[in-house]
Amino acid sequence: MITFIRSVLVLLTIAIAASAQENQVSFTIQGRMGDAPFVINTMYRTLADDLYLKPTSLRYYLSQISITHDGGKVTPFPSLYILVDHSAPTSYQLGTHPITRVESITFHIGVDSARNHLDPATYAPYHPLSPQDPSMHWGWTSGYKFMAYNLLTGADTAAMKYVTEIHALGDANYHRITVDVPVDARNGKVSIDVIANLAELLRGINVSKSLFEHSDEGPAKLMLENAAQRVFSAATTTSVSDASFSEDAWKEQGGMVSIYDMQGGLIRASSDGVPSIFNGLRAGVYVVVRSMVGRTPHHTLYLHDGE
Amino acid sequence: MMVSDRSRSACLAVLIISACCLVQCTTTTGPAPVAPLYVVPNGFPEPVFPADNLPSAERIALGKALFMSTALSRTNTIACASCHLEQYAFADTATVSVGVEGRRGTRNAPSLFNVAYHPYYMREGGVPTLEMQVQVPIAEHNEFDFNILQVQARLTADTSIVNAAMRAYGRPPDPFVITRAIACFERTLLSGSSRADRQDLTSAEQRGRVLFESTRTNCTSCHGGFNYTTYAFENNGLASVYADSGRYRLTRSTADIARFKVPSLRHVGVTAPYMHDGSLRTLRDVLDHYNSGGHLHPQKSPLIRPLGLTRQELDDLEAYLRAL
């Protein structure tokens, strides 16, 4: 009996010690177009500054994700597949892990060859690799679209007449990306924030006319190379300026502003009567939702450095 | 000749499908003779069904219903059966298949008989299973131009389909059920016991058979085996320049430019037009092509060269092909 109690106590001690090192890990991708937040259906200038560009959808897979932490330890997430959709919040809970000091995060754009050619219909509904609408799978190649970017371009904002669809796939275009993200656990949480400067996706790709490239070569191949080499970097701690958004002007039009944390909890709303919804906000990453009767709510990721 | 062959094909297909229906119809009326779900022709191996899609009368019946259903296309106008016509060995009579809103595809729809035995699907061979092949026309712009989740939503509104799906797979008509059921049905489209199999040939057909199996024509180098295909990828010199890059679009290997999966010759008498693009209208056009040696192409098979067949020999060969 004494031996049993002793064993239980030892196990409890081990469990407590282990759990003390466990932290909730989240991974956030902040879409940007240069310095501005990347927001679907928003007008931007192209890299060459010679055209207007309006993204209408951007989705891509992340797979073979791993985190290097605490002196070179590697925690892999071999069964984790993320379908990043930049028309929705792009923050992902990775679970609780013994990670206290992150050094880098590694991921691949696309789906690894071992899974790329399996049958989507065999996955449970809502699994990222199950059938999607719009589809992220190409039947005749039995492979997933690694990245699907749809946009409009034009010489002026009133005439966005050119349509571009670049849907990129192919095992040969499956690239590994590592982003150094030095970040420590705080209050039981580890937030890995990565900036995706999505303006770089189109570097070297001519979108001055309509372009349909659904393939593994040409502009599709180049877009994935750009994604691997130019797009991702660690988030800085400076706040994101949302130049396209004036809180006061929005409220004068009858609009509402709400701020949510990355777990979806409502932090505050302009209906609370605060002069500015951002005053006194603690440092962190938030989702800012602008809504107005009769219009589709507008989501923006907001990195706040505290005041 | 054409009419009788087409009739034979149609009768065979009807027999197969009737056999499937017989099982379904008799299961609720007490003891009854157990009809087979499908009949494996003499000399054929047993088709392999995947573990997650073993056949049952309910599954085959549901698959047949979905195969015939226009609900799989965006405009609710096109079904699998629109291009895979039962009376033509589940092939199409159109040069290239026509999808929603009259959109023309780029390839001729092949026969579905004996697809259970194919090691891969599509002309370039990029689809490993029948279940995955089902997803191709649903999504293709020039075919159904739809999304399988929207097919699911449409089918879920049909109580009879939902009930059939529950009976067959124990789950509603989701992508798993849609793809499994149609594939299950297609695996039962077995056809053999032709006059060539039974060696019930006229003297002209027998002469044609000798030619077919001779090293003079080398037909069986590509069209060998019980299904008259090796399933290899070949360039038969159909053109000097191809609009369709064939297997190259899958592998990106220049050696695969304009190489296509060798089709089965079963029921070839009723599956006109011919070739991947339906560009040869008659069986005699096909024979004339091979007799000429085809066009120059870097990837053309060395087996394709002038044959020097006489008119009588071509007649004999054609007669034999119509008996397959």
Side-chain angles (χ1 to χ4, degrees), chain A residues 117-122 131-135 139-142 215-217, chain B residues 126-128 131-132 135-136 140 147-150 175-176 179-180 249 252:
Chain A
H117 307 293
L118 301 183
D119 187 347
T122 59
Q132 304 291 320
D133 187 10
S135 178
W140 73 268
T141 62
S142 300
S215 78
D216 58 355
E217 59 184 4
Chain B
V127 179
E131 283 77 4
M132 293 180 76
Q135 300 168 56
V136 178
E140 279 296 310
N147 184 290
I148 200 165
L149 296 178
Q150 294 181 42
F176 181 89
T179 56
R180 265 66 199 163
R249 74 196 284 244
R252 297 301 185 200

PDB file of all heavy atoms in Angstrom, chain A residues 117-122 131-135 139-142 215-217, chain B residues 126-128 131-132 135-136 140 147-150 175-176 179-180 249 252:
ATOM      1  N   HIS A 117      -1.541  12.869 -53.222  1.00  0.00           N
ATOM      2  CA  HIS A 117      -2.251  12.118 -54.258  1.00  0.00           C
ATOM      3  C   HIS A 117      -3.261  11.118 -53.682  1.00  0.00           C
ATOM      4  O   HIS A 117      -3.675  10.195 -54.377  1.00  0.00           O
ATOM      5  CB  HIS A 117      -1.233  11.429 -55.167  1.00  0.00           C
ATOM      6  CG  HIS A 117      -0.224  12.397 -55.715  1.00  0.00           C
ATOM      7  ND1 HIS A 117      -0.571  13.387 -56.610  1.00  0.00           N
ATOM      8  CD2 HIS A 117       1.086  12.590 -55.437  1.00  0.00           C
ATOM      9  CE1 HIS A 117       0.498  14.112 -56.895  1.00  0.00           C
ATOM     10  NE2 HIS A 117       1.517  13.653 -56.180  1.00  0.00           N
ATOM     11  N   LEU A 118      -3.622  11.327 -52.431  1.00  0.00           N
ATOM     12  CA  LEU A 118      -4.650  10.479 -51.831  1.00  0.00           C
ATOM     13  C   LEU A 118      -6.035  11.053 -52.137  1.00  0.00           C
ATOM     14  O   LEU A 118      -6.176  12.162 -52.653  1.00  0.00           O
ATOM     15  CB  LEU A 118      -4.420  10.367 -50.321  1.00  0.00           C
ATOM     16  CG  LEU A 118      -3.061   9.798 -49.904  1.00  0.00           C
ATOM     17  CD1 LEU A 118      -2.986   9.670 -48.390  1.00  0.00           C
ATOM     18  CD2 LEU A 118      -2.816   8.442 -50.561  1.00  0.00           C
ATOM     19  N   ASP A 119      -7.044  10.297 -51.803  1.00  0.00           N
ATOM     20  CA  ASP A 119      -8.413  10.643 -52.173  1.00  0.00           C
ATOM     21  C   ASP A 119      -9.015  11.623 -51.163  1.00  0.00           C
ATOM     22  O   ASP A 119      -9.208  11.272 -49.994  1.00  0.00           O
ATOM     23  CB  ASP A 119      -9.237   9.350 -52.205  1.00  0.00           C
ATOM     24  CG  ASP A 119     -10.643   9.573 -52.736  1.00  0.00           C
ATOM     25  OD1 ASP A 119     -11.069  10.741 -52.843  1.00  0.00           O
ATOM     26  OD2 ASP A 119     -11.314   8.577 -53.041  1.00  0.00           O
ATOM     27  N   PRO A 120      -9.357  12.845 -51.586  1.00  0.00           N
ATOM     28  CA  PRO A 120      -9.951  13.821 -50.656  1.00  0.00           C
ATOM     29  C   PRO A 120     -11.244  13.320 -50.017  1.00  0.00           C
ATOM     30  O   PRO A 120     -11.569  13.691 -48.893  1.00  0.00           O
ATOM     31  CB  PRO A 120     -10.236  15.036 -51.550  1.00  0.00           C
ATOM     32  CG  PRO A 120      -9.351  14.876 -52.724  1.00  0.00           C
ATOM     33  CD  PRO A 120      -9.188  13.402 -52.932  1.00  0.00           C
ATOM     34  N   ALA A 121     -11.976  12.485 -50.734  1.00  0.00           N
ATOM     35  CA  ALA A 121     -13.281  12.044 -50.229  1.00  0.00           C
ATOM     36  C   ALA A 121     -13.163  11.130 -49.020  1.00  0.00           C
ATOM     37  O   ALA A 121     -14.163  10.830 -48.379  1.00  0.00           O
ATOM     38  CB  ALA A 121     -14.050  11.329 -51.341  1.00  0.00           C
ATOM     39  N   THR A 122     -11.956  10.686 -48.705  1.00  0.00           N
ATOM     40  CA  THR A 122     -11.797   9.796 -47.560  1.00  0.00           C
ATOM     41  C   THR A 122     -11.608  10.558 -46.256  1.00  0.00           C
ATOM     42  O   THR A 122     -11.619   9.947 -45.182  1.00  0.00           O
ATOM     43  CB  THR A 122     -10.597   8.852 -47.746  1.00  0.00           C
ATOM     44  OG1 THR A 122      -9.422   9.639 -47.911  1.00  0.00           O
ATOM     45  CG2 THR A 122     -10.787   7.966 -48.971  1.00  0.00           C
ATOM     46  N   PRO A 131     -12.801  17.590 -49.522  1.00  0.00           N
ATOM     47  CA  PRO A 131     -13.231  18.487 -50.604  1.00  0.00           C
ATOM     48  C   PRO A 131     -13.612  19.872 -50.083  1.00  0.00           C
ATOM     49  O   PRO A 131     -14.250  19.999 -49.041  1.00  0.00           O
ATOM     50  CB  PRO A 131     -14.448  17.759 -51.182  1.00  0.00           C
ATOM     51  CG  PRO A 131     -14.170  16.323 -50.922  1.00  0.00           C
ATOM     52  CD  PRO A 131     -13.513  16.295 -49.570  1.00  0.00           C
ATOM     53  N   GLN A 132     -13.194  20.875 -50.814  1.00  0.00           N
ATOM     54  CA  GLN A 132     -13.451  22.272 -50.439  1.00  0.00           C
ATOM     55  C   GLN A 132     -14.319  22.926 -51.506  1.00  0.00           C
ATOM     56  O   GLN A 132     -14.372  22.473 -52.644  1.00  0.00           O
ATOM     57  CB  GLN A 132     -12.128  23.040 -50.319  1.00  0.00           C
ATOM     58  CG  GLN A 132     -11.133  22.445 -49.370  1.00  0.00           C
ATOM     59  CD  GLN A 132     -11.548  22.557 -47.922  1.00  0.00           C
ATOM     60  OE1 GLN A 132     -12.080  23.583 -47.505  1.00  0.00           O
ATOM     61  NE2 GLN A 132     -11.333  21.494 -47.165  1.00  0.00           N
ATOM     62  N   ASP A 133     -14.947  24.018 -51.139  1.00  0.00           N
ATOM     63  CA  ASP A 133     -15.728  24.786 -52.098  1.00  0.00           C
ATOM     64  C   ASP A 133     -15.402  26.267 -51.924  1.00  0.00           C
ATOM     65  O   ASP A 133     -15.757  26.843 -50.898  1.00  0.00           O
ATOM     66  CB  ASP A 133     -17.225  24.555 -51.877  1.00  0.00           C
ATOM     67  CG  ASP A 133     -18.080  25.190 -52.959  1.00  0.00           C
ATOM     68  OD1 ASP A 133     -17.519  25.642 -53.973  1.00  0.00           O
ATOM     69  OD2 ASP A 133     -19.308  25.237 -52.781  1.00  0.00           O
ATOM     70  N   PRO A 134     -14.709  26.884 -52.875  1.00  0.00           N
ATOM     71  CA  PRO A 134     -14.213  26.344 -54.140  1.00  0.00           C
ATOM     72  C   PRO A 134     -13.159  25.247 -53.921  1.00  0.00           C
ATOM     73  O   PRO A 134     -12.472  25.234 -52.900  1.00  0.00           O
ATOM     74  CB  PRO A 134     -13.591  27.554 -54.833  1.00  0.00           C
ATOM     75  CG  PRO A 134     -14.168  28.746 -54.152  1.00  0.00           C
ATOM     76  CD  PRO A 134     -14.427  28.334 -52.745  1.00  0.00           C
ATOM     77  N   SER A 135     -13.053  24.397 -54.903  1.00  0.00           N
ATOM     78  CA  SER A 135     -12.190  23.238 -54.762  1.00  0.00           C
ATOM     79  C   SER A 135     -10.719  23.635 -54.662  1.00  0.00           C
ATOM     80  O   SER A 135     -10.269  24.569 -55.300  1.00  0.00           O
ATOM     81  CB  SER A 135     -12.376  22.309 -55.957  1.00  0.00           C
ATOM     82  OG  SER A 135     -11.507  21.196 -55.837  1.00  0.00           O
ATOM     83  N   GLY A 139      -8.668  17.063 -59.993  1.00  0.00           N
ATOM     84  CA  GLY A 139      -8.953  15.650 -60.143  1.00  0.00           C
ATOM     85  C   GLY A 139      -8.025  14.933 -61.100  1.00  0.00           C
ATOM     86  O   GLY A 139      -7.532  13.855 -60.800  1.00  0.00           O
ATOM     87  N   TRP A 140      -7.786  15.501 -62.279  1.00  0.00           N
ATOM     88  CA  TRP A 140      -7.046  14.745 -63.299  1.00  0.00           C
ATOM     89  C   TRP A 140      -5.583  14.524 -62.931  1.00  0.00           C
ATOM     90  O   TRP A 140      -4.956  13.584 -63.428  1.00  0.00           O
ATOM     91  CB  TRP A 140      -7.166  15.418 -64.667  1.00  0.00           C
ATOM     92  CG  TRP A 140      -6.381  16.684 -64.808  1.00  0.00           C
ATOM     93  CD1 TRP A 140      -6.824  17.944 -64.565  1.00  0.00           C
ATOM     94  CD2 TRP A 140      -5.015  16.805 -65.225  1.00  0.00           C
ATOM     95  NE1 TRP A 140      -5.826  18.846 -64.783  1.00  0.00           N
ATOM     96  CE2 TRP A 140      -4.703  18.173 -65.201  1.00  0.00           C
ATOM     97  CE3 TRP A 140      -4.038  15.890 -65.608  1.00  0.00           C
ATOM     98  CZ2 TRP A 140      -3.450  18.660 -65.543  1.00  0.00           C
ATOM     99  CZ3 TRP A 140      -2.768  16.382 -65.947  1.00  0.00           C
ATOM    100  CH2 TRP A 140      -2.500  17.745 -65.920  1.00  0.00           C
ATOM    101  N   THR A 141      -5.041  15.367 -62.042  1.00  0.00           N
ATOM    102  CA  THR A 141      -3.670  15.135 -61.583  1.00  0.00           C
ATOM    103  C   THR A 141      -3.664  14.413 -60.240  1.00  0.00           C
ATOM    104  O   THR A 141      -2.607  14.066 -59.727  1.00  0.00           O
ATOM    105  CB  THR A 141      -2.901  16.443 -61.382  1.00  0.00           C
ATOM    106  OG1 THR A 141      -3.570  17.193 -60.352  1.00  0.00           O
ATOM    107  CG2 THR A 141      -2.857  17.267 -62.636  1.00  0.00           C
ATOM    108  N   SER A 142      -4.880  14.241 -59.689  1.00  0.00           N
ATOM    109  CA  SER A 142      -4.984  13.664 -58.347  1.00  0.00           C
ATOM    110  C   SER A 142      -4.075  14.396 -57.377  1.00  0.00           C
ATOM    111  O   SER A 142      -3.333  13.784 -56.613  1.00  0.00           O
ATOM    112  CB  SER A 142      -4.627  12.178 -58.352  1.00  0.00           C
ATOM    113  OG  SER A 142      -5.482  11.480 -59.200  1.00  0.00           O
ATOM    114  N   SER A 215      -1.542  25.403 -63.070  1.00  0.00           N
ATOM    115  CA  SER A 215      -0.537  24.427 -63.480  1.00  0.00           C
ATOM    116  C   SER A 215       0.581  24.325 -62.451  1.00  0.00           C
ATOM    117  O   SER A 215       0.507  24.888 -61.358  1.00  0.00           O
ATOM    118  CB  SER A 215       0.049  24.822 -64.841  1.00  0.00           C
ATOM    119  OG  SER A 215       1.000  25.858 -64.688  1.00  0.00           O
ATOM    120  N   ASP A 216       1.642  23.656 -62.878  1.00  0.00           N
ATOM    121  CA  ASP A 216       2.824  23.512 -62.029  1.00  0.00           C
ATOM    122  C   ASP A 216       4.023  24.229 -62.627  1.00  0.00           C
ATOM    123  O   ASP A 216       5.147  23.998 -62.219  1.00  0.00           O
ATOM    124  CB  ASP A 216       3.156  22.021 -61.832  1.00  0.00           C
ATOM    125  CG  ASP A 216       3.399  21.298 -63.155  1.00  0.00           C
ATOM    126  OD1 ASP A 216       3.221  21.921 -64.221  1.00  0.00           O
ATOM    127  OD2 ASP A 216       3.769  20.105 -63.119  1.00  0.00           O
ATOM    128  N   GLU A 217       3.784  25.072 -63.600  1.00  0.00           N
ATOM    129  CA  GLU A 217       4.920  25.725 -64.260  1.00  0.00           C
ATOM    130  C   GLU A 217       4.617  27.203 -64.511  1.00  0.00           C
ATOM    131  O   GLU A 217       3.534  27.688 -64.209  1.00  0.00           O
ATOM    132  CB  GLU A 217       5.239  25.011 -65.574  1.00  0.00           C
ATOM    133  CG  GLU A 217       4.088  24.985 -66.547  1.00  0.00           C
ATOM    134  CD  GLU A 217       4.394  24.180 -67.816  1.00  0.00           C
ATOM    135  OE1 GLU A 217       5.465  23.591 -67.911  1.00  0.00           O
ATOM    136  OE2 GLU A 217       3.535  24.171 -68.699  1.00  0.00           O
TER     137      GLU A 217
ATOM    138  N   GLY B 126      -3.185   9.784 -64.651  1.00  0.00           N
ATOM    139  CA  GLY B 126      -2.868  10.463 -63.394  1.00  0.00           C
ATOM    140  C   GLY B 126      -3.802  10.167 -62.241  1.00  0.00           C
ATOM    141  O   GLY B 126      -3.604  10.694 -61.146  1.00  0.00           O
ATOM    142  N   VAL B 127      -4.790   9.349 -62.461  1.00  0.00           N
ATOM    143  CA  VAL B 127      -5.781   9.089 -61.409  1.00  0.00           C
ATOM    144  C   VAL B 127      -5.689   7.621 -61.003  1.00  0.00           C
ATOM    145  O   VAL B 127      -5.901   6.734 -61.825  1.00  0.00           O
ATOM    146  CB  VAL B 127      -7.200   9.429 -61.906  1.00  0.00           C
ATOM    147  CG1 VAL B 127      -8.238   9.137 -60.836  1.00  0.00           C
ATOM    148  CG2 VAL B 127      -7.264  10.895 -62.329  1.00  0.00           C
ATOM    149  N   PRO B 128      -5.366   7.353 -59.742  1.00  0.00           N
ATOM    150  CA  PRO B 128      -5.066   5.975 -59.359  1.00  0.00           C
ATOM    151  C   PRO B 128      -6.277   5.086 -59.102  1.00  0.00           C
ATOM    152  O   PRO B 128      -6.135   3.864 -59.124  1.00  0.00           O
ATOM    153  CB  PRO B 128      -4.248   6.138 -58.071  1.00  0.00           C
ATOM    154  CG  PRO B 128      -4.675   7.447 -57.507  1.00  0.00           C
ATOM    155  CD  PRO B 128      -5.028   8.314 -58.677  1.00  0.00           C
ATOM    156  N   GLU B 131     -12.654   5.611 -57.753  1.00  0.00           N
ATOM    157  CA  GLU B 131     -13.309   6.544 -56.838  1.00  0.00           C
ATOM    158  C   GLU B 131     -12.810   7.971 -57.069  1.00  0.00           C
ATOM    159  O   GLU B 131     -13.584   8.933 -57.015  1.00  0.00           O
ATOM    160  CB  GLU B 131     -13.045   6.127 -55.382  1.00  0.00           C
ATOM    161  CG  GLU B 131     -13.866   4.953 -54.886  1.00  0.00           C
ATOM    162  CD  GLU B 131     -13.369   3.595 -55.395  1.00  0.00           C
ATOM    163  OE1 GLU B 131     -12.330   3.557 -56.079  1.00  0.00           O
ATOM    164  OE2 GLU B 131     -14.018   2.577 -55.109  1.00  0.00           O
ATOM    165  N   MET B 132     -11.525   8.114 -57.322  1.00  0.00           N
ATOM    166  CA  MET B 132     -10.975   9.456 -57.565  1.00  0.00           C
ATOM    167  C   MET B 132     -11.332   9.938 -58.965  1.00  0.00           C
ATOM    168  O   MET B 132     -11.490  11.139 -59.197  1.00  0.00           O
ATOM    169  CB  MET B 132      -9.465   9.450 -57.354  1.00  0.00           C
ATOM    170  CG  MET B 132      -9.080   9.207 -55.908  1.00  0.00           C
ATOM    171  SD  MET B 132      -7.309   9.196 -55.624  1.00  0.00           S
ATOM    172  CE  MET B 132      -6.940  10.943 -55.679  1.00  0.00           C
ATOM    173  N   GLN B 135     -14.421  12.096 -59.387  1.00  0.00           N
ATOM    174  CA  GLN B 135     -14.355  13.514 -59.020  1.00  0.00           C
ATOM    175  C   GLN B 135     -13.914  14.399 -60.181  1.00  0.00           C
ATOM    176  O   GLN B 135     -14.109  15.622 -60.136  1.00  0.00           O
ATOM    177  CB  GLN B 135     -13.399  13.680 -57.831  1.00  0.00           C
ATOM    178  CG  GLN B 135     -13.856  12.902 -56.603  1.00  0.00           C
ATOM    179  CD  GLN B 135     -12.802  12.802 -55.529  1.00  0.00           C
ATOM    180  OE1 GLN B 135     -12.291  13.815 -55.056  1.00  0.00           O
ATOM    181  NE2 GLN B 135     -12.473  11.584 -55.109  1.00  0.00           N
ATOM    182  N   VAL B 136     -13.322  13.799 -61.203  1.00  0.00           N
ATOM    183  CA  VAL B 136     -12.764  14.604 -62.297  1.00  0.00           C
ATOM    184  C   VAL B 136     -13.846  15.313 -63.108  1.00  0.00           C
ATOM    185  O   VAL B 136     -13.832  16.544 -63.211  1.00  0.00           O
ATOM    186  CB  VAL B 136     -11.853  13.746 -63.198  1.00  0.00           C
ATOM    187  CG1 VAL B 136     -11.317  14.584 -64.356  1.00  0.00           C
ATOM    188  CG2 VAL B 136     -10.706  13.152 -62.401  1.00  0.00           C
ATOM    189  N   GLU B 140     -14.523  19.447 -63.644  1.00  0.00           N
ATOM    190  CA  GLU B 140     -13.978  20.001 -64.891  1.00  0.00           C
ATOM    191  C   GLU B 140     -14.901  21.059 -65.485  1.00  0.00           C
ATOM    192  O   GLU B 140     -16.109  20.862 -65.621  1.00  0.00           O
ATOM    193  CB  GLU B 140     -13.759  18.878 -65.911  1.00  0.00           C
ATOM    194  CG  GLU B 140     -12.476  18.106 -65.713  1.00  0.00           C
ATOM    195  CD  GLU B 140     -11.228  18.949 -65.916  1.00  0.00           C
ATOM    196  OE1 GLU B 140     -11.128  19.634 -66.939  1.00  0.00           O
ATOM    197  OE2 GLU B 140     -10.353  18.936 -65.028  1.00  0.00           O
ATOM    198  N   ASN B 147     -19.141  21.441 -58.005  1.00  0.00           N
ATOM    199  CA  ASN B 147     -18.320  21.126 -56.839  1.00  0.00           C
ATOM    200  C   ASN B 147     -19.006  19.988 -56.092  1.00  0.00           C
ATOM    201  O   ASN B 147     -20.228  20.014 -55.901  1.00  0.00           O
ATOM    202  CB  ASN B 147     -18.190  22.357 -55.942  1.00  0.00           C
ATOM    203  CG  ASN B 147     -17.277  22.110 -54.764  1.00  0.00           C
ATOM    204  OD1 ASN B 147     -17.614  21.362 -53.849  1.00  0.00           O
ATOM    205  ND2 ASN B 147     -16.111  22.716 -54.780  1.00  0.00           N
ATOM    206  N   ILE B 148     -18.233  19.015 -55.687  1.00  0.00           N
ATOM    207  CA  ILE B 148     -18.842  17.819 -55.102  1.00  0.00           C
ATOM    208  C   ILE B 148     -19.593  18.130 -53.803  1.00  0.00           C
ATOM    209  O   ILE B 148     -20.546  17.435 -53.440  1.00  0.00           O
ATOM    210  CB  ILE B 148     -17.782  16.708 -54.889  1.00  0.00           C
ATOM    211  CG1 ILE B 148     -18.468  15.343 -54.748  1.00  0.00           C
ATOM    212  CG2 ILE B 148     -16.874  17.017 -53.731  1.00  0.00           C
ATOM    213  CD1 ILE B 148     -17.546  14.168 -54.881  1.00  0.00           C
ATOM    214  N   LEU B 149     -19.206  19.210 -53.121  1.00  0.00           N
ATOM    215  CA  LEU B 149     -19.964  19.597 -51.925  1.00  0.00           C
ATOM    216  C   LEU B 149     -21.337  20.145 -52.306  1.00  0.00           C
ATOM    217  O   LEU B 149     -22.317  19.986 -51.565  1.00  0.00           O
ATOM    218  CB  LEU B 149     -19.175  20.623 -51.105  1.00  0.00           C
ATOM    219  CG  LEU B 149     -17.858  20.123 -50.519  1.00  0.00           C
ATOM    220  CD1 LEU B 149     -17.150  21.238 -49.761  1.00  0.00           C
ATOM    221  CD2 LEU B 149     -18.093  18.924 -49.600  1.00  0.00           C
ATOM    222  N   GLN B 150     -21.399  20.790 -53.455  1.00  0.00           N
ATOM    223  CA  GLN B 150     -22.706  21.270 -53.920  1.00  0.00           C
ATOM    224  C   GLN B 150     -23.539  20.101 -54.461  1.00  0.00           C
ATOM    225  O   GLN B 150     -24.771  20.114 -54.361  1.00  0.00           O
ATOM    226  CB  GLN B 150     -22.517  22.351 -54.975  1.00  0.00           C
ATOM    227  CG  GLN B 150     -21.877  23.603 -54.371  1.00  0.00           C
ATOM    228  CD  GLN B 150     -21.708  24.709 -55.393  1.00  0.00           C
ATOM    229  OE1 GLN B 150     -22.589  24.960 -56.203  1.00  0.00           O
ATOM    230  NE2 GLN B 150     -20.570  25.380 -55.348  1.00  0.00           N
ATOM    231  N   PRO B 175     -19.340  13.240 -50.181  1.00  0.00           N
ATOM    232  CA  PRO B 175     -18.374  12.908 -51.234  1.00  0.00           C
ATOM    233  C   PRO B 175     -17.897  11.457 -51.196  1.00  0.00           C
ATOM    234  O   PRO B 175     -17.684  10.846 -52.242  1.00  0.00           O
ATOM    235  CB  PRO B 175     -17.228  13.890 -50.974  1.00  0.00           C
ATOM    236  CG  PRO B 175     -17.918  15.098 -50.420  1.00  0.00           C
ATOM    237  CD  PRO B 175     -18.996  14.539 -49.530  1.00  0.00           C
ATOM    238  N   PHE B 176     -17.751  10.921 -49.996  1.00  0.00           N
ATOM    239  CA  PHE B 176     -17.331   9.524 -49.891  1.00  0.00           C
ATOM    240  C   PHE B 176     -18.354   8.615 -50.563  1.00  0.00           C
ATOM    241  O   PHE B 176     -18.012   7.748 -51.375  1.00  0.00           O
ATOM    242  CB  PHE B 176     -17.156   9.146 -48.412  1.00  0.00           C
ATOM    243  CG  PHE B 176     -16.697   7.731 -48.191  1.00  0.00           C
ATOM    244  CD1 PHE B 176     -15.348   7.433 -48.154  1.00  0.00           C
ATOM    245  CD2 PHE B 176     -17.603   6.694 -48.026  1.00  0.00           C
ATOM    246  CE1 PHE B 176     -14.913   6.128 -47.953  1.00  0.00           C
ATOM    247  CE2 PHE B 176     -17.181   5.396 -47.832  1.00  0.00           C
ATOM    248  CZ  PHE B 176     -15.830   5.109 -47.791  1.00  0.00           C
ATOM    249  N   THR B 179     -18.655   9.132 -54.534  1.00  0.00           N
ATOM    250  CA  THR B 179     -17.556   8.553 -55.304  1.00  0.00           C
ATOM    251  C   THR B 179     -17.535   7.029 -55.196  1.00  0.00           C
ATOM    252  O   THR B 179     -17.280   6.342 -56.191  1.00  0.00           O
ATOM    253  CB  THR B 179     -16.202   9.112 -54.833  1.00  0.00           C
ATOM    254  OG1 THR B 179     -16.059   8.879 -53.420  1.00  0.00           O
ATOM    255  CG2 THR B 179     -16.112  10.606 -55.084  1.00  0.00           C
ATOM    256  N   ARG B 180     -17.836   6.523 -54.010  1.00  0.00           N
ATOM    257  CA  ARG B 180     -17.801   5.069 -53.829  1.00  0.00           C
ATOM    258  C   ARG B 180     -18.917   4.393 -54.622  1.00  0.00           C
ATOM    259  O   ARG B 180     -18.709   3.357 -55.271  1.00  0.00           O
ATOM    260  CB  ARG B 180     -17.929   4.708 -52.349  1.00  0.00           C
ATOM    261  CG  ARG B 180     -16.584   4.483 -51.652  1.00  0.00           C
ATOM    262  CD  ARG B 180     -15.785   5.747 -51.585  1.00  0.00           C
ATOM    263  NE  ARG B 180     -14.369   5.512 -51.353  1.00  0.00           N
ATOM    264  CZ  ARG B 180     -13.436   6.420 -51.581  1.00  0.00           C
ATOM    265  NH1 ARG B 180     -13.748   7.601 -52.104  1.00  0.00           N
ATOM    266  NH2 ARG B 180     -12.163   6.169 -51.350  1.00  0.00           N
ATOM    267  N   ARG B 249       1.630  16.323 -69.733  1.00  0.00           N
ATOM    268  CA  ARG B 249       1.051  17.325 -68.826  1.00  0.00           C
ATOM    269  C   ARG B 249       1.060  16.837 -67.387  1.00  0.00           C
ATOM    270  O   ARG B 249       0.957  17.631 -66.459  1.00  0.00           O
ATOM    271  CB  ARG B 249      -0.356  17.730 -69.283  1.00  0.00           C
ATOM    272  CG  ARG B 249      -1.450  16.719 -69.037  1.00  0.00           C
ATOM    273  CD  ARG B 249      -2.704  17.032 -69.850  1.00  0.00           C
ATOM    274  NE  ARG B 249      -3.499  18.117 -69.336  1.00  0.00           N
ATOM    275  CZ  ARG B 249      -4.765  17.982 -68.877  1.00  0.00           C
ATOM    276  NH1 ARG B 249      -5.342  16.791 -68.878  1.00  0.00           N
ATOM    277  NH2 ARG B 249      -5.436  19.009 -68.454  1.00  0.00           N
ATOM    278  N   ARG B 252       5.655  15.954 -67.120  1.00  0.00           N
ATOM    279  CA  ARG B 252       6.595  16.989 -67.588  1.00  0.00           C
ATOM    280  C   ARG B 252       7.872  16.381 -68.162  1.00  0.00           C
ATOM    281  O   ARG B 252       8.915  17.051 -68.214  1.00  0.00           O
ATOM    282  CB  ARG B 252       6.938  17.976 -66.474  1.00  0.00           C
ATOM    283  CG  ARG B 252       5.752  18.780 -65.970  1.00  0.00           C
ATOM    284  CD  ARG B 252       5.102  19.573 -67.054  1.00  0.00           C
ATOM    285  NE  ARG B 252       4.037  20.436 -66.556  1.00  0.00           N
ATOM    286  CZ  ARG B 252       3.075  20.932 -67.309  1.00  0.00           C
ATOM    287  NH1 ARG B 252       3.052  20.660 -68.608  1.00  0.00           N
ATOM    288  NH2 ARG B 252       2.158  21.714 -66.801  1.00  0.00           N
TER     289      ARG B 252
END
